[in-house]
DNA sequence: CCCAAACGATAACATATGTTATCAAGTTCA
DNA sequence: TGAACTTGATAACATATGTTATCGTTTGGG
């Protein structure tokens, strides 16, 4: 899904910058769909300002799987690479400023990159990073209770809690909105001192 | 974690075969540890016969995260690529026959591979496949109940249920052994006709 | 500025799931 | 072969979590 090399491998920034002119800057309102579930991803998306979520529809209820913020790039990776329908919808949460780089340019960029001497090494590392991210998400469900996952969010990625509506977070944590509300009130009580 | 290009990209088999002589064939008993949590992965593992699991230790209780069988290759990917301690222990479940390819040869193999014209494309595809696998595991926890996850295993990967001790499966599903037992007996009752 | 929609808290009840303990049936290995 | 270990089922109880409904607050757009 996520697929950002900018900032992770500074060495590659010059390549990336070269493609800036081909990116379309767009100012878009909140709740705007950037990619629809079932469609094939045609663009790499870079977020200059705002925030975005990826979700899928499950019997009418939306399940959010990931959040993205300023200076992050993303695409529906499998869809983008393998030309298959996207499992996810990508939608802005806040009014946002994004850049879209059409796939043909990305492919061209990849081909240029492959001339870099340690391209293989870099791409393996990026791949491992991404993989590790999703493995950690998955492991967290096996290892932690919903309450622990919420606390992990609080300590490690509190910006998500601050900016994202709570019912998106609930589905991301795999619980109901009611239960998340209960967890919050329980934790709030624990903090009170009389 | 898993990282097999053999069989996925037949084109690469000739490269792979070239490195067969450097692989050590080993016959090992059940419950043998191939890589210890906290150690850095030094080998790519290929399973000729038997089966293997990856797990981690959580406050004294083991949580299994993945199973591997015949003709699958694996390694603790992040550890192997980035030289960091492995999050997981890799252990045989059954008596197994495996091949170990030491990391230096894998690196050499990767370098040769990078000469292939569409290397970038292939490695992106492999990367997307792996990523999709873990995303699906993770999405399953958000979308499905434990009972549904068990049924998914039954219909899509029943070999796991047939060969792997049930308590490993329970932790893989993120539930207690008691609950898995209950799920099974519930499903068994549903199948009875009087 | 106002209204409809979005958001979040809470209660009440039903169900799902964990924990601990016990028992029975394999399995392994000395 | 017999004891120790492993595996799995089940009961009883406690806790976690989902569902539905209600209410108050905030928010966004005409």
């Amino acid at each position: 899904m996520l697929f950002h090399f900018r900032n992770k491998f500074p060495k590659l920034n010059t390549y990336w910058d070269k493609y800036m002119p081909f990116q379309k800057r767009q100012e878009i309102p909140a709740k705007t769909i950037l990619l629809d579930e079932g469609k094939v991803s045609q663009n790499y998306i870079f977020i200059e300002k705002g925030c975005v979520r990826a979700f899928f529809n499950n019997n009418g209820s939306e399940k959010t799987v990931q959040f993205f913020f300023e200076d992050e790039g993303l695409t529906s990776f499998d869809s983008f690479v393998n030309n298959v329908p996207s499992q996810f919808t990508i939608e802005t949460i806040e009014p946002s400023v994004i850049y879209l780089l059409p796939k043909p340019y990305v492919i061209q960029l990849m081909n240029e990159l492959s001339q870099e001497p340690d391209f293989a090494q870099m791409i393996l590392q990026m791949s491992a990073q991404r993989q590790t991210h999703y493995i950690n998400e998955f492991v967290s469900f096996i290892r932690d209770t919903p309450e622990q996952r919420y606390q992990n969010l609080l300590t490690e990625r509190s910006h998500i809690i601050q900016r994202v509506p709570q019912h998106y977070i609930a589905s991301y944590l795999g619980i109901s909105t009611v239960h998340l509300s209960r967890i919050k009130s329980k934790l709030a009580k624990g903090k009170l001192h009389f």
Side-chain angles (χ1 to χ4, degrees), chain A:
Chain A
M1 158 90 31
L2 192 152
F3 173 59
H4 47 178
F5 34 99
R6 190 174 191 71
N7 300 15
K8 296 260 170 141
F9 293 88
K11 189 176 182 179
L12 304 185
N13 278 192
T14 54
Y15 287 92
W16 190 254
D17 290 337
K18 185 175 158 189
Y19 284 84
M20 273 303 279
F22 305 116
Q23 300 192 241
K24 282 179 292 197
R25 183 176 193 278
Q26 293 192 316
E27 302 192 12
I28 47 188
K31 300 202 180 198
T32 305
I33 289 178
L34 302 179
L35 171 67
D36 236 321
E37 188 178 338
K39 300 264 176 73
V40 176
S41 171
Q42 299 295 351
N43 292 285
Y44 178 76
I45 303 166
F46 182 82
I47 305 174
E48 179 178 289
K49 180 85 192 86
C51 86
V52 163
R53 71 182 177 122
F55 69 91
F56 63 94
N57 190 296
N58 183 232
N59 299 120
S61 87
E62 293 180 354
K63 304 286 185 179
T64 298
V65 297
Q66 197 165 175
F67 304 103
F68 304 91
F69 299 89
E70 279 81 10
D71 293 322
E72 292 186 334
L74 69 138
T75 189
S76 192
F77 193 48
D78 187 46
S79 173
F80 189 86
V81 170
N82 293 319
N83 271 291
V84 296
S86 171
Q87 291 190 72
F88 307 103
T89 297
I90 296 176
E91 182 188 80
T92 52
I93 293 174
E94 304 173 355
S96 304
V97 180
I98 62 168
Y99 289 84
L100 295 181
L101 182 61
K103 177 144 61 174
Y105 293 111
V106 178
I107 291 172
Q108 203 177 313
L109 171 56
M110 290 301 299
N111 286 336
E112 288 191 34
L113 281 177
S114 66
Q115 303 312 314
E116 273 289 326
D118 27 60
F119 173 71
Q121 192 59 21
M122 282 189 296
I123 202 167
L124 275 184
Q125 283 177 12
M126 290 191 302
S127 170
Q129 278 180 16
R130 287 295 77 216
Q131 206 166 290
T132 299
H133 174 264
Y134 293 109
I135 287 177
N136 284 149
E137 294 281 52
F138 150 54
V139 160
S140 168
F141 276 95
I142 290 179
R143 184 189 49 211
D144 304 326
T145 64
E147 182 175 329
Q148 287 173 304
R149 283 204 299 287
Y150 178 72
Q151 298 220 58
N152 291 345
L153 265 198
L154 261 182
T155 58
E156 292 157 28
R157 294 188 281 165
S158 60
H159 59 286
I160 292 181
I161 291 171
Q162 288 153 15
R163 292 176 67 175
V164 172
Q166 195 163 312
H167 56 289
Y168 294 162
I169 295 177
S171 81
Y172 171 70
L173 293 174
I175 62 182
S176 67
T177 57
V178 175
H179 191 51
L180 177 52
S181 218
R182 277 194 286 237
I183 288 173
K184 284 181 66 175
S185 87
K186 180 186 166 191
L187 293 179
K189 277 175 194 160
K191 279 185 186 165
L192 295 180
H193 303 280
F194 294 102

